[in-house]
Amino acid sequence: FYAANSTHLMKQMRGLLKFTLPSMTGKTLTYSYLTLYKYNSETTQRTIELHQNTSNFTESTVTWNTAPTYETEMVDYKVVNGVADTAYIFDITKSVREWVEGTSTNYGFTIKDQADLGAYTRFYSSEHWLEFPVVQIGFIDSAGIKDFWTYSSQDAGEAGTGYVSDYTGMMT
């Protein structure tokens, strides 16, 4: 993970992030967040964008010329201020859901400044001992009837009654 995101002295710099998903078999994703901690202090507010990559990269060999392509549409963005060590939480639920469901491939994310030039914002990398990037993935076990979901019931004759979750569409 390369967490520097800057465009210092008219140079473009981007951050790349990729992580392995846990097994989600039999589970329903409820949320997913990426937390980045700002490294430096400056007085200028910057808009930092998170984009889903559309091609792969290898951390040990990626260069500017081999960096992955990414979606033009942002996954999320944050306006960062001049306070170092501030946590910024990006909602990555839609991307993680696509990866879990197999509708897109997990190539990770590109982190970039909205302006691309003339800015300087850095985040701590995965090598930092305390304020490293954190990915949170919330899920629930899809099996069984949950008291916090609603269900549509269907008479199954002698077999009993089937229940379909209004949230997941799964039958219990």
Side-chain angles (χ1 to χ4, degrees), residues 34-170:
L34 166 64
T35 303
L36 298 176
Y37 294 90
K38 191 165 178 282
Y39 174 77
N40 60 324
S41 295
E42 75 276 331
T43 57
T44 305
Q45 284 191 339
R46 305 300 311 168
T47 300
I48 304 302
E49 302 176 347
L50 188 69
H51 294 263
Q52 187 173 323
N53 292 337
T54 56
S55 62
N56 207 4
F57 71 95
T58 303
E59 181 181 10
S60 61
T61 60
V62 68
T63 67
W64 184 261
N65 293 328
T66 64
T69 54
Y70 56 85
E71 296 283 347
T72 55
E73 181 181 337
M74 289 179 288
V75 172
D76 198 2
Y77 74 95
K78 297 295 170 204
V79 176
V80 300
N81 60 29
V83 180
D85 302 325
T86 301
Y88 292 94
I89 301 172
F90 296 83
D91 186 345
I92 59 172
T93 305
K94 182 177 181 275
S95 296
V96 172
R97 180 170 284 119
E98 290 175 0
W99 299 338
V100 168
E101 293 174 352
T103 58
S104 70
T105 303
N106 178 3
Y107 294 130
F109 297 103
T110 293
I111 305 158
K112 65 181 283 297
D113 189 282
Q114 186 178 53
D116 255 351
L117 293 173
Y120 188 72
T121 302
R122 295 188 298 165
F123 296 95
Y124 286 105
S125 74
S126 56
E127 287 79 29
H128 193 267
W129 67 277
L130 179 63
E131 293 181 320
F132 46 83
V134 175
V135 174
Q136 297 173 309
I137 298 176
F139 58 88
I140 59 168
D141 188 343
S142 300
I145 294 179
K146 310 294 183 220
D147 61 1
F148 47 85
W149 281 346
T150 59
Y151 295 85
S152 298
S153 61
Q154 180 68 42
D155 182 15
E158 291 182 22
T161 303
Y163 297 92
V164 177
S165 167
D166 296 329
Y167 178 72
T168 66
M170 296 179 67

Side-chain angles (χ1 to χ4, degrees), residues 4-25:
N5 177 314
S6 68
T7 53
H8 187 60
L9 301 176
M10 303 309 284
K11 295 179 183 176
Q12 292 180 315
M13 295 179 76
R14 307 248 166 89
L16 298 174
L17 173 91
K18 185 167 53 171
F19 54 90
T20 303
L21 291 172
S23 173
M24 298 287 288
T25 304

